Amino acid sequence: MKCGRCKAPAVIEVRRHNAGYCRECFLRHCGEQVKRAIEHFDMLERNDRVLVAVSGGKDSLGLWQILRELGYEADGLYLGLGIGDYSDSSGTYVREFANARGWTLHEVDLSSEYGFDIEEGSRAAKRAPCSACGLSKRHIFNEAAINNGYNALATGHNLDDEAAVLFGNVLRWETEFLGRQHPVLPAAPGFVRKVKPLIRLSEREMAAYCVLTGIDYIVEECPMAAGNRHLGYKTALNDIEERSPGSKAAFVFGFLERGHDRFMSEVDDAREELRPCTICAAPTPGDVCAFCRMRARAVGEPIGVRSTS
Ligand code: Q46
Ligand code: ZN
């Protein structure tokens, strides 16, 4: 197969685009897809300070590099979740990546800074580990971006991730989540802007991007992911995509163009009722936010009192 752009031998085929690419044209394609997503959804301004949440995986490290190559002032944020060897090794990949390039990396460690890890939070809050983890990430990423003066928080969610989340939300008609499912969530009091610039690139394209640019990333999955619903949705969608290339993109972009607006009112209603958490000041519908409640339960403090020692 030849590269559809320059006719050199192709190194990858992207069936969704019905195209093959050589190394150089493929890397240009990845940069163009990110640029297109940023412009189309008004994700970033040229002078924004962007904080990229990096996990050590292909998507977040690839995203950080692409944003820097496109000229954005982008720094990294790594959150240590305390998930055994997986966290130790993912932290090493992130640090080596940032050090090799001399890029700024912020680090937050859940256990040493908040007094609990994902397993303890999950047990205390009676939530599945991924739910406790998602809650912690949302809270800490937002807090770190605001405290360090960033205008936007970028995450490495790719097209496959977004398709799987959309699939799950549609299966259960989670209307408020559907209203929130968008590649850009604008800033609001207490919330930094959140963007997903990889929405036009698949998992496979991100893996190829990292291999072709020599990015060393953690290949093993988080051990907590095994058997979760999200992975099941990904497998089902991969099967559909295999038979009918382009289905995932049609599903996600069709929703964003023709479905998303219909669910927006659910989010507005929910946001109107928010007020600052009495412990951390993050916006919350109650007195104490869900993260502070989980932390208090996990460390055995009465809810509503944060020890200062
Ligand atoms: S890190 Fe956290 Fe994921 Fe691990 S515990 Fe679940 S949500 S699977 S992206
Ligand atoms: Zn709080």
Side-chain angles (χ1 to χ4, degrees), residues 81 83 86 118 129-134 137 221-226 228:
L81 298 164
I83 306 177
Y86 170 76
I118 291 304
C130 290
S131 161
C133 182
K137 285 181 186 168
E221 293 279 345
C222 169
M224 308 278 191
N228 76 8

Side-chain angles (χ1 to χ4, degrees), residues 184-223:
V184 52
L185 290 180
F191 292 111
V192 71
R193 187 187 337 141
K194 311 217 170 50
V195 298
K196 296 174 180 171
L198 296 185
I199 188 149
R200 298 187 58 86
L201 288 167
S202 67
E203 211 154 278
R204 186 171 157 268
E205 283 162 290
M206 287 313 295
Y209 177 87
C210 288
V211 170
L212 293 171
T213 56
I215 295 178
D216 204 8
Y217 63 89
I218 184 163
V219 176
E220 76 190 63
E221 293 279 345
C222 169

Side-chain angles (χ1 to χ4, degrees), residues 100-224:
R101 290 158 180 78
W103 296 349
T104 302
L105 175 68
H106 301 269
E107 290 201 45
V108 178
D109 187 74
L110 193 60
S111 301
S112 52
E113 291 178 44
Y114 294 89
F116 69 100
D117 61 22
I118 291 304
E119 224 181 302
E120 291 160 346
S122 147
R123 226 179 300 125
K126 298 194 174 57
R127 286 170 173 258
C130 290
S131 161
C133 182
L135 171 62
S136 306
K137 285 181 186 168
R138 280 192 301 280
H139 182 89
I140 293 169
F141 291 170
N142 189 62
E143 190 173 70
I146 290 179
N147 291 348
N148 291 290
Y150 289 92
N151 311 94
L153 174 82
T155 52
H157 296 98
N158 57 38
L159 176 60
D160 298 62
D161 295 321
E162 288 307 290
V165 171
L166 178 60
F167 192 60
N169 286 341
V170 168
L171 273 182
R172 288 180 179 70
W173 291 112
E174 298 278 11
T175 52
E176 191 187 327
F177 292 161
L178 286 166
R180 270 186 228 282
Q181 189 166 1
H182 198 270
V184 52
L185 290 180
F191 292 111
V192 71
R193 187 187 337 141
K194 311 217 170 50
V195 298
K196 296 174 180 171
L198 296 185
I199 188 149
R200 298 187 58 86
L201 288 167
S202 67
E203 211 154 278
R204 186 171 157 268
E205 283 162 290
M206 287 313 295
Y209 177 87
C210 288
V211 170
L212 293 171
T213 56
I215 295 178
D216 204 8
Y217 63 89
I218 184 163
V219 176
E220 76 190 63
E221 293 279 345
C222 169
M224 308 278 191

Side-chain angles (χ1 to χ4, degrees), residues 13-53:
E13 181 187 16
V14 181
R15 287 179 66 204
R16 179 171 89 258
H17 293 300
N18 200 13
Y21 299 95
C22 70
R23 180 182 181 277
E24 278 65 36
C25 291
F26 176 71
L27 299 183
R28 201 170 315 128
H29 153 84
C30 293
E32 283 166 5
Q33 293 301 314
V34 171
K35 192 163 173 274
R36 232 175 114 181
I38 291 174
E39 287 171 359
H40 181 79
F41 293 107
D42 267 336
M43 290 184 188
L44 301 172
E45 303 287 338
R46 289 307 324 177
N47 56 356
D48 273 339
R49 290 188 69 225
V50 188
L51 186 61
V52 186

